[in-house]
Amino acid sequence: MKGSWHCHALLSEVKPALGRYAIRVGLSEKVRYDNYTLYNVQPATEEQLQYLNNLYKDTDVLDFWSVPSTVENHISVVSPPKSREEFEKALERHGISYDVVLEDIQKAFDDQTRRRRKRDSGMYWTNYQTIDEIYEWLHELARTHSNVVTLIQAGRSFEGRNITGVRISRKSGRKAFFIDGGQVDADWLSPTVVTYLINQLVTGDDPEARTASEDFEWHIFPIVNPDGHQFSQDSVRLWMKNRRPTSGSAIGVDLAKNWNSQWAVSGGSFNPSDSNYVGLGPFSEPETRYVSRYIDTIGTNLAGLLSFRAFGQRLLIPFAHTTDPMYNYRDMLLIPDGSTGTIADWVKHRFNPPVVATYQLRDRSQGYTLPVNQVLPSCEETYDSVMAMLREAKFINVL
């Protein structure tokens, strides 16, 4: 390993347990993260940022949930128990500020599933939802609200699962909005937030939701990556990619960076073992290919795209590869630094709808360990934000 910090933990012990390097885990195995520590690290100087960047690129031991990008930006890092002391000493030697967020992330993961209960209504937003629950609910919604909701399928994943969503339409001839979640599998929050939006548009009693469902046609896919989402439920909680074998024993591509807009320019890796591996080229994966083809069918009618993911509490607007303003940059700033190769950048470049944004949901420190008591507030605040965005966009005549 390059740099001034080296961990002597056995690679065979570390790789299966960390999201970034989980490449040799079979479907029958259930990986645990007992006594793995979650840190919030904050570089204060360019030198400290460069050190963390080198560590991010070269480590076989630590799991970076966020990429070191700018000074004073919070970075979430996970360390296995054997490496904790050495990692903390390295940070202290470089004068890098850090906080211990959780000393045992497995306990947090256990809490995310322990109290999961299905309500009589068939769906809930007080905890994280499984793919089976989401898909069953979408089918039921299309059956019970057939005049408004149509079940849609973009295609099939590598393992043969349907990429399922719904089209919500109350009036014909309307401009379309596309919404997606669940591209990154450790992110259990965005699919739940997206189903909350669906529920509000279809059955909610808020007049703004009713207006939004009448003014636009909504095409919504809660889980773009069904194979990886299921794998994160069954085997590796911190799995990040899809499940297609790529090179040697490596499995998966980061779908969030596999779209055909400035592909692989920044924020991704060419190492198939890394969780942010960008693939052999844009749309190399069946999931991104099928979803992009679906978007092509509505592209000329697009009013906007909203993509949801955990975490960071930010609203990202295109484009990540340049500091030059996008086509309606000032308008988007009136409405409310990332990786390239994203769905938002691709849609903005290809179709140029007026409203394109990526929501990074709660929060900045707990990341994928976000407690279940924050799920419903996340849903509610995100819904309010989307309604406010539509309201402001109409006010300034963007829509």
Side-chain angles (χ1 to χ4, degrees):
M1 183 185 301
K2 302 174 186 177
S4 59
W5 180 74
H6 180 79
C7 180
H8 302 285
L10 292 176
L11 191 60
S12 60
E13 288 184 280
V14 175
K15 274 196 173 182
L18 290 177
R20 188 179 181 192
Y21 293 97
I23 63 174
R24 293 200 291 259
V25 179
L27 283 171
S28 62
E29 300 179 60
K30 182 74 171 180
V31 168
R32 292 187 60 85
Y33 302 87
D34 297 290
N35 299 313
Y36 278 65
T37 306
L38 173 61
Y39 295 90
N40 189 353
V41 180
Q42 188 173 19
T45 66
E46 289 294 338
E47 291 76 15
Q48 292 176 353
L49 177 64
Q50 185 59 52
Y51 171 74
L52 292 171
N53 246 315
N54 291 338
L55 200 57
Y56 166 76
K57 294 175 182 177
D58 299 327
T59 183
D60 287 330
V61 177
L62 303 172
D63 193 18
F64 282 74
W65 288 358
S66 48
V67 179
S69 56
T70 57
V71 171
E72 296 185 351
N73 191 32
H74 295 276
I75 304 162
S76 297
V77 186
V78 172
S79 171
K82 291 183 178 180
S83 308
R84 174 175 176 171
E85 182 178 356
E86 194 170 357
F87 178 50
E88 291 179 359
K89 288 181 178 178
L91 293 175
E92 290 162 3
R93 282 198 303 271
H94 287 81
I96 299 174
S97 175
Y98 70 89
D99 295 310
V100 175
V101 180
L102 289 171
E103 294 189 344
D104 187 350
I105 65 174
Q106 185 59 49
K107 289 183 179 179
F109 290 150
D110 290 343
D111 287 341
Q112 289 179 342
T113 58
R114 182 178 296 116
R115 292 186 293 274
R116 180 179 286 151
R117 293 290 184 272
K118 192 170 184 178
R119 294 186 173 181
D120 294 338
S121 63
M123 194 46 111
Y124 54 86
W125 287 273
T126 54
N127 206 329
Y128 299 101
Q129 302 160 353
T130 68
I131 185 172
D132 288 341
E133 290 164 341
I134 291 173
Y135 278 12
E136 179 184 340
W137 179 71
L138 293 180
H139 280 80
E140 179 68 11
L141 205 62
R143 186 186 68 81
T144 56
H145 297 80
S146 58
N147 60 323
V148 177
V149 180
T150 304
L151 204 68
I152 52 178
Q153 293 179 354
R156 289 184 177 269
S157 65
F158 172 76
E159 293 181 341
R161 292 180 175 87
N162 287 324
I163 304 170
T164 301
V166 290
R167 178 172 64 88
I168 302 169
S169 178
R170 297 187 188 274
K171 296 183 179 180
S172 60
R174 301 305 188 188
K175 285 285 188 178
F177 258 87
F178 185 92
I179 286 181
D180 78 276
Q183 291 193 50
V184 175
D185 314 300
D187 164 22
W188 290 0
L189 182 59
S190 68
T192 305
V193 166
V194 170
T195 61
Y196 185 88
L197 292 173
I198 293 173
N199 192 58
Q200 292 299 313
L201 290 169
V202 176
T203 69
D205 55 9
D206 181 1
E208 281 198 306
R210 177 72 185 212
T211 300
S213 66
E214 292 176 344
D215 288 349
F216 301 100
E217 182 178 275
W218 297 83
H219 301 250
I220 307 179
F221 290 86
I223 302 178
V224 170
N225 188 359
D227 295 348
H229 188 82
Q230 187 65 57
F231 191 71
S232 73
Q233 297 269 345
D234 294 340
S235 300
V236 181
R237 175 64 184 85
L238 290 176
W239 189 257
M240 309 289 280
K241 305 183 285 184
N242 71 350
R243 291 296 299 165
R244 186 179 69 82
T246 53
S247 176
S249 59
I251 295 175
V253 168
D254 182 354
L255 299 186
K257 300 176 180 62
N258 192 240
W259 301 81
N260 192 16
S261 177
Q262 300 297 317
W263 173 80
V265 170
S266 65
S269 168
F270 290 104
N271 182 353
S273 298
D274 288 352
S275 66
N276 60 342
Y277 174 51
V278 296
L280 293 176
F283 298 142
S284 63
E285 306 312 297
E287 296 86 359
T288 51
R289 283 199 306 274
Y290 281 126
V291 173
S292 68
R293 290 172 186 172
Y294 183 88
I295 296 174
D296 276 337
T297 67
I298 60 172
T300 56
N301 195 45
L302 272 179
L305 173 139
L306 300 176
S307 185
F308 295 86
R309 69 182 66 169
F311 56 97
Q313 292 188 181
R314 293 179 178 177
L315 185 68
L316 306 181
I317 59 177
F319 294 98
H321 70 282
T322 178
T323 57
D324 294 335
M326 65 177 182
Y327 317 124
N328 62 330
Y329 177 77
R330 292 185 182 277
D331 290 338
M332 282 300 295
L333 285 185
L334 286 174
I335 295 176
D337 174 30
S339 302
T340 60
T342 67
I343 186 174
D345 280 9
W346 174 70
V347 165
K348 187 64 180 178
H349 176 75
R350 182 166 176 80
F351 302 109
N352 191 26
V355 176
V356 177
T358 298
Y359 276 80
Q360 289 186 339
L361 304 168
R362 293 192 186 191
D363 67 355
R364 292 186 178 181
S365 59
Q366 296 176 100
Y368 302 123
T369 66
L370 190 73
V372 296
N373 62 9
Q374 294 194 40
V375 172
L376 182 57
S378 297
C379 293
E380 292 172 338
E381 71 188 9
T382 305
Y383 164 74
D384 288 343
S385 172
V386 172
M387 292 300 105
M389 179 182 290
L390 294 176
R391 187 167 59 246
E392 185 65 22
K394 289 180 183 178
F395 179 77
I396 62 175
N397 294 319
V398 170
L399 293 175

